[in-house]
Structures are given as C-alpha cells and as structure tokens.
C-alpha cells in the first residue's frame, strides 16, 4: 500500500453513498458497486465511517457491537468482499474506531446496568444524588454530560449523546478490549484506521466542576493520552498502517507528539481550529462571516510548526460533521465551479495528507432545507430546541442550521440527474438538494472543465510531483485580504501556489520569468505589465527554479 505521505484519502459515509437494495439507505454493496469510480478518481485509501451494529442514534457513532455489521448496511461477507475488491483496485480500507464511548445498547453497558461491577468499571459511573450530577460538564450535543440511573443510584458520563456512554480507559481491561477489536479488523485485511475523538479518552483523576468552561479542559489531550496511544499502536502492530486521530479542541504541541513518527503513536491528526473561523466567539451556533486572515494564520502556523517538529497533518475542509466547503468559504452560485476548484487547490497542495469527503469532488453544496422536519441529525435537532430556549426565534435557529448543521454534508451522493440523484430507487432517508440535476457524477464526467476532473488532476499531480508530498512549505502574502499563497520547495525546484479567495481581481508582484504553469482553474493565465493577475476565485500553480 501507498505511503501515507504520497496518498490521498476518500471518505465514505455509507448511509449516504449508494443504496444497492432500494430501501433508501446506502449500504456496503453500494460501496462495492462504486469502487471503479473511486479508482478512477485515483485515491489510495477509503476511510469508511462506522457500519457496525448500532441503534443509529448518532448514525453509527454509537456502536453496540464492534465486530458485527449492522444489517442495514449488509453482512460480514459484504465487508470481506469490499476489502478484497478494493485491494484489487489498489485501494486500502481504513475503518473508523469509535473508542471514546459505546452505545448504551452495547452488551458491556447492558451488563453494567444489570449491576455487574466488572462492566461498571468499563464506564465512568459515579455515585450521587438524582439532582446533583458529579460535575457541571456539558455534553457536546447539548445538556449536562451525566445521566442518572435510578436503580443503580449512579450517574454515568457521556460527552456526546446520553446513549453514548464514555469508556473508562484507566481500566486496563478496556484497553485490551480495544486492542482486540483492532486485531480483528486488521486480520480481515484493513489497511488503516481513523480513531474517533481519540484525544478525549484519557479522563482526569479528579472530578471537578469547570468554573469557566464546559469541562473540556479536563479531558482534552488528557493526562495519559500519549501513553494509551503508544500502547495501542505497539500492541496491535499498526505502526506500519495508515492511522489518523480525530483531535477535538486539541493543541499544536500535542498534535506534534501524536504524529511525529519517533513517538510511534499515529501517522497524522485531524484538528479543527481552521474550521472555527466563522464561529462567533468560538461558538458553533452563532454565525459570523469567515475571518480569512485568521484562517491563514491558523493554517500557516500549524503547517510551519508541524514541519519544524516533524509532525504530519491530515489536510481537509470537509467531512460528515462539517458544512460543504463551497457553500461555506466559496460562492456556491455565481462562482460555484471556480471557487470549488480554488478551495481544492488551497488545501491539496499543503504539506500533509489530503482527505476528500464524498461529493466534495463534485462541488456538492449545503442542503437548502426550510423546515425542521427535513433535518435528521441528533445534534441539529437538540440545538434547534436549545437555541430557542436561549431566546432565538425559530427562523433564526433555522438560518443557523442552514449554515452549521451536520446534515449539510449528509445528503446523498449525487450520482446522476435521475430521480433520487441515482442514489436509490426509493425515497432516501434524507432529502436531496434540487441541484443534483447538474451537480452529479454523470454530468461532470462528461464536462472537461468539471470540478470532478479538476480533483482527478490534483490527485494525479500528487503522484507525479514529489515536491507535493516531500517538499518544504513557506507562506507569503499572509496579510493580503484575499490571497492565500504558499510555496513548496524540494531540491532545486519550487511550486508557487496562488489562490484568490474573493470575487475581486487582484494584481500581484512580478514572477520569475522561467515559470511554468502546471495547474489552474482558468484556461489561461493573465499578466498585467509583467504582474500576475488573479481573476475571481482563480487558482494558479507555477513551477520555478528554487530561489535560494
Ligand atoms: C466524531 C464524529 C461525529 C460523532 C462524534 C461522536 O466527532 O466524527 O460524527 O458524532 O465523534 O462519536
């Protein structure tokens, strides 16, 4: 399998990818049917989000059995076939390990509820009075993070939904269980893993109220996190595979340790600071325009410091929890095509491993829902109520969901202009935007200048130009209000990458005369008096001899 630095990863959310049996839900056979499409894209790995047995309160991030396939998605034979068929096409599978918590329907939790102390120690149960949760911590999905179990007279911790009970990683038996699950899937031929909110697994020794926050400072990048990751990696032999940790509210310093090969923890990390630049005062449910200078400041700092200290970033705009990037940072109407390609260039040529979330390569947009009944996501539904309890009107709350809901990314993959976007024969579990009439695989395959073809070029370029995976990075124009520009250098060559994040026309400094254009989202390039001119949302990449 390909080295993780030269690879591109494609994320599949199976529920919304392709429905092979006409029940309105995507499934594993649907993924198998589309493997040729993924091979054509040119990616090396598929990160498949959870398909394990689950009540689906959080669409599979509430796992009730880590070794069994939810019948809604298929069977174990389907998983095995998927691994084999992907491998035939040179694609490795990465599975999603949700190890911070289990579903409360998991057998361990059920036995804990029945009073078995062994299994109560698998979770975080605290004795207490029904009206006094052990701490004031807030769940990431809203409300207090503790749930009371009257017959046990105990509270249990859930940093997410109350049906997602946090595991007790201090208990060595829990750590052994997790390792066994990894070995189980590794033996089946899985080539890598994504670890869900893995920097939240190490909880503090003392349980106390957070007087100025929601509790995250006590458990984020917690006291034993590095030990636990080292142990997990060493004891399961996954150091040679591709691994990525989802790091919630993490720090650069910790991400360097998680991803520096010498530490033998993970190949790389997802961090989210650059995706909070449109949160007002850091608050997801308050809108503000994206702060572009801040975005560049964060991305460049992470890039430079990871480079200096030998860390490695997963680079991305989209996943199943984020709104669609073309709607968020681009212009999904007038400059839909240009801005989608510009955003792709901006992220793919950074130093790190790029991740593409299904449909991003088509320029899929946010969901144009106008009624709360169209939303499905537990977080969105909870916050719709919470925002109104806190004084927002129903229409303000709907506006915010339109920008922030995780359902924006969960609408079905748009395969064609056929009914249900070619995703299913049946009405899908969640509504499809009307723009599937022109934003779809079939149409974009035919159009030479489509977003889809541009992604294909970018993925191929990474294989052709070692400079993209191995080169060093430096930034310029960091204080420019519209331009995101950087330079990659290896041996005696540099790539100069320019991205115009606005609808303005920008004139920049003169460029070296020996430049060669290797990529762009306009058919030609334009100079004014020897100066580079960037048109609305233009991206352009030149190769030049290294300047130093
Ligand atoms: C991660 C997942 C998200 C899930 C949460 C709890 O953030 O990406 O979808 O809801 O963890 O498992």
């Amino acid at each position: 399998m390909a080295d993780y630095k030269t690879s591109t990863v494609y994320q599949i959310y199976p529920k919304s990818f392709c429905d092979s049996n006409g029940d309105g839900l995507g499934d594993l056979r649907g993924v198998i049917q589309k493997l040729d499409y993924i091979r054509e894209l040119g990616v090396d790995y598929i990160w498949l989000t959870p398909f394990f047995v689950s009540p689906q309160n959080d669409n599979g991030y509430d796992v009730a059995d880590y070794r069994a396939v939810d019948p809604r998605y298929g069977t174990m034979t389907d998983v095995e076939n998927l691994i084999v068929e992907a491998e035939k096409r040179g694609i490795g599978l990465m599975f999603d390990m949700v190890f911070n918590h289990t579903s409360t329907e998991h057998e361990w939790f059920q036995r804990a509820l029945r009073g078995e102390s062994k299994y109560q120690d698998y979770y975080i149960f605290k004795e207490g009075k029904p009206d006094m949760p052990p701490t004031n911590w807030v769940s990431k999905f809203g409300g207090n993070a503790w749930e009371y179990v009257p017959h046990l007279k105990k509270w249990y911790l859930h940093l997410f939904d109350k049906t997602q009970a946090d595991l007790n990683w201090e208990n060595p038996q829990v750590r052994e269980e997790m390792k066994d699950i990894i070995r189980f899937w590794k033996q089946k031929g899985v080539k890598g893993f994504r670890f869900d909110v893995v920097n939240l697994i190490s909880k503090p020794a003392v349980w106390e109220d957070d007087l100025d926050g929601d509790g995250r400072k006590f458990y984020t990048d917690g006291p034993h996190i590095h030990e636990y990751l080292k142990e997990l990696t060493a004891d399961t032999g996954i150091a040679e595979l591709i691994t990525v940790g989802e790091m919630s509210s993490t720090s650069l310093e910790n991400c360097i340790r998680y991803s520096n090969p010498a530490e033998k923890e993970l190949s790389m990390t997802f961090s989210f600071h650059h995706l909070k630049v449109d949160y007002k005062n850091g608050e997801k449910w308050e809108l503000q325009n994206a702060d572009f200078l801040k975005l560049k400041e964060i991305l460049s700092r992470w890039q430079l410091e990871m480079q200096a200290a030998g860390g490695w970033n997963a680079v991305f705009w989209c996943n199943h929890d984020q709104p669609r990037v073309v709607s968020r940072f681009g212009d999904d109407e007038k400059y839909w095509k240009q801005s989608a390609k510009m955003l792709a260039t901006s992220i793919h040529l950074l130093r790190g491993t790029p991740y593409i979330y299904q449909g991003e390569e088509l320029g899929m947009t946010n969901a144009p829902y106008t009624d709360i009944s169209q939303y499905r996501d537990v977080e969105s539904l909870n916050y719709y109520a919470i925002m109104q309890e806190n004084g927002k009107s129903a229409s303000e709350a709907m506006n915010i969901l339109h920008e922030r809901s995780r359902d924006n990314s969960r609408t079905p993959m748009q395969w064609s202009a056929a009914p249900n976007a070619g995703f299913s024969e049946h009405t899908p579990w969640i509504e499809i935007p009307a723009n599937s009439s022109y934003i779809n695989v079939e149409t974009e395959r035919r159009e030479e200048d489509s977003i889809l073809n541009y992604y294909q070029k970018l993925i191929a370029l990474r294989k052709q130009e070692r400079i993209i995976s191995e080169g060093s990075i430096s930034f310029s124009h960091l204080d420019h209000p519209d331009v995101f520009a950087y330079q990659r250098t290896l041996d005696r060559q540099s790539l100069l990458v320019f991205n115009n994040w606005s609808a303005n026309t920008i004139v920049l400094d003169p460029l070296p005369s020996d430049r060669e254009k290797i990529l762009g989202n306009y058919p030609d390039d334009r100079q004014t008096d020897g100066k580079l001119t960037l048109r609305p949302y233009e991206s352009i990449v030149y190769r030049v001899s290294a300047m130093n």
Side-chain angles (χ1 to χ4, degrees), residues 113-321:
L113 285 185
R114 290 201 291 270
E116 290 187 41
S117 65
K118 168 175 172 185
Y119 289 103
Q120 287 183 4
D121 282 348
Y122 272 38
Y123 295 91
I124 299 165
F125 278 95
K126 298 278 166 222
E127 312 236 337
K129 298 206 186 95
D131 54 353
M132 262 227 334
T135 67
N136 67 348
W137 300 0
V138 183
S139 150
K140 309 248 180 207
F141 291 163
N144 187 273
W146 296 89
E147 183 72 10
Y148 192 64
V149 186
H151 75 271
L152 296 176
K153 298 192 171 58
K154 285 178 181 166
W155 294 85
Y156 68 86
L157 178 70
H158 61 89
L159 294 181
F160 294 88
D161 187 54
K162 65 170 189 279
T163 64
Q164 293 167 300
D166 279 57
L167 284 161
N168 174 19
W169 276 71
E170 310 300 300
N171 179 348
Q173 274 176 321
V174 167
R175 304 205 293 276
E176 290 311 314
E177 297 273 13
M178 298 298 136
K179 292 176 201 165
D180 261 358
I181 295 164
I182 293 184
R183 291 185 197 112
F184 176 84
W185 289 113
K186 194 176 161 229
Q187 266 167 19
K188 295 230 177 250
V190 166
K191 295 292 185 293
F193 295 95
R194 178 253 188 195
F195 294 99
D196 190 61
V197 291
V198 73
N199 68 325
L200 310 186
I201 59 177
S202 172
K203 308 297 195 286
V206 184
W207 300 87
E208 53 189 308
D209 280 351
D210 189 345
L211 301 179
D212 51 18
D214 61 7
R216 72 182 66 190
K217 70 177 179 208
F218 295 119
Y219 57 74
T220 302
D221 303 313
H224 300 291
I225 181 65
H226 294 284
E227 271 164 62
Y228 294 161
L229 285 176
K230 284 184 171 70
E231 181 184 318
L232 193 74
T233 296
D235 293 358
T236 57
I238 57 170
E240 302 313 313
L241 306 188
I242 177 172
T243 55
V244 56
E246 184 200 26
M247 303 303 178
S248 167
S249 301
T250 189
S251 70
L252 183 45
E253 185 194 9
N254 276 294
C255 284
I256 288 168
R257 290 182 64 192
Y258 295 135
S259 66
N260 184 318
E263 299 279 340
K264 297 195 168 53
E265 295 185 12
L266 299 168
S267 318
M268 65 189 102
T269 51
F270 286 118
S271 62
F272 297 89
H273 301 283
H274 66 297
L275 296 177
K276 296 185 179 171
V277 297
D278 51 6
Y279 291 8
K280 194 170 174 183
N281 303 321
E283 171 50 54
K284 174 167 179 176
W285 305 102
E286 296 285 347
L287 302 181
Q288 86 172 11
N289 288 337
D291 182 339
F292 177 59
L293 291 180
K294 190 164 165 198
L295 178 86
K296 288 198 290 182
E297 187 273 316
I298 294 169
L299 280 177
S300 59
R301 183 157 42 84
W302 277 70
Q303 287 277 308
L304 294 173
E305 293 195 23
M306 288 290 252
Q307 165 167 277
W312 194 252
N313 288 296
V315 290
F316 72 104
W317 297 127
C318 297
N319 67 27
H320 63 291
D321 297 327

Side-chain angles (χ1 to χ4, degrees), residues 43-91:
V43 300
D44 305 276
Y45 292 97
I46 293 171
W47 151 27
L48 189 63
T49 66
F51 51 82
F52 314 106
V53 168
S54 154
Q56 302 284 325
N57 292 335
D58 188 19
N59 284 345
Y61 282 92
D62 45 333
V63 180
D65 185 345
Y66 292 93
R67 293 182 183 77
V69 180
D70 195 297
R72 279 167 278 214
Y73 291 119
T75 62
M76 188 57 88
T77 310
D78 295 333
V79 178
E80 290 162 355
N81 287 341
L82 172 59
I83 296 172
V84 170
E85 288 300 317
E87 190 157 356
K88 279 188 197 158
R89 293 163 176 84
I91 302 166

Side-chain angles (χ1 to χ4, degrees), residues 249-468:
S249 301
T250 189
S251 70
L252 183 45
E253 185 194 9
N254 276 294
C255 284
I256 288 168
R257 290 182 64 192
Y258 295 135
S259 66
N260 184 318
E263 299 279 340
K264 297 195 168 53
E265 295 185 12
L266 299 168
S267 318
M268 65 189 102
T269 51
F270 286 118
S271 62
F272 297 89
H273 301 283
H274 66 297
L275 296 177
K276 296 185 179 171
V277 297
D278 51 6
Y279 291 8
K280 194 170 174 183
N281 303 321
E283 171 50 54
K284 174 167 179 176
W285 305 102
E286 296 285 347
L287 302 181
Q288 86 172 11
N289 288 337
D291 182 339
F292 177 59
L293 291 180
K294 190 164 165 198
L295 178 86
K296 288 198 290 182
E297 187 273 316
I298 294 169
L299 280 177
S300 59
R301 183 157 42 84
W302 277 70
Q303 287 277 308
L304 294 173
E305 293 195 23
M306 288 290 252
Q307 165 167 277
W312 194 252
N313 288 296
V315 290
F316 72 104
W317 297 127
C318 297
N319 67 27
H320 63 291
D321 297 327
Q322 298 292 329
R324 292 285 181 179
V325 71
V326 69
S327 302
R328 185 178 196 176
F329 296 147
D331 173 345
D332 63 8
E333 291 177 355
K334 186 163 179 208
Y335 293 109
W336 166 67
K337 224 181 233 189
Q338 291 88 341
S339 64
K341 293 178 186 175
M342 182 282 290
L343 290 162
T345 316
S346 294
I347 203 86
H348 275 246
L349 302 182
L350 290 173
R351 180 180 175 277
T353 300
Y355 283 67
I356 300 168
Y357 176 66
Q358 65 183 48
E360 178 184 345
E361 76 279 18
L362 307 173
M364 277 178 62
T365 63
N366 280 351
Y369 298 157
T370 51
D371 195 279
I372 189 64
S373 65
Q374 294 168 292
Y375 286 97
R376 298 284 176 270
D377 173 31
V378 52
E379 183 197 46
S380 302
L381 299 175
N382 286 352
Y383 272 96
Y384 181 67
I386 294 172
M387 285 191 274
Q388 292 181 72
E389 279 157 27
N390 293 345
K392 292 209 161 37
S393 69
S395 79
E396 281 171 312
M398 279 300 291
N399 276 342
I400 295 175
L401 287 189
H402 180 259
E403 301 297 319
R404 295 290 144 84
S405 170
R406 305 194 298 179
D407 283 337
N408 282 312
S409 56
R410 298 177 180 184
T411 63
M413 177 74 176
Q414 296 173 184
W415 293 103
S416 71
N420 305 323
F423 160 75
S424 174
E425 305 275 289
H426 190 276
T427 309
W429 69 279
I430 188 168
E431 229 173 282
I432 298 181
N435 63 24
S436 61
S437 62
Y438 64 96
I439 305 181
N440 65 64
V441 171
E442 207 176 273
T443 306
E444 297 197 30
R445 259 185 180 152
R446 279 197 307 263
E447 286 174 4
E448 217 200 295
D449 76 331
S450 65
I451 299 169
L452 176 60
N453 284 331
Y454 192 84
Y455 267 84
Q456 227 168 2
K457 267 189 228 160
L458 264 177
I459 297 164
L461 198 62
R462 188 175 186 82
K463 297 269 178 264
Q464 292 150 19
E465 303 280 345
R466 254 185 347 119
I467 203 168
I468 300 174

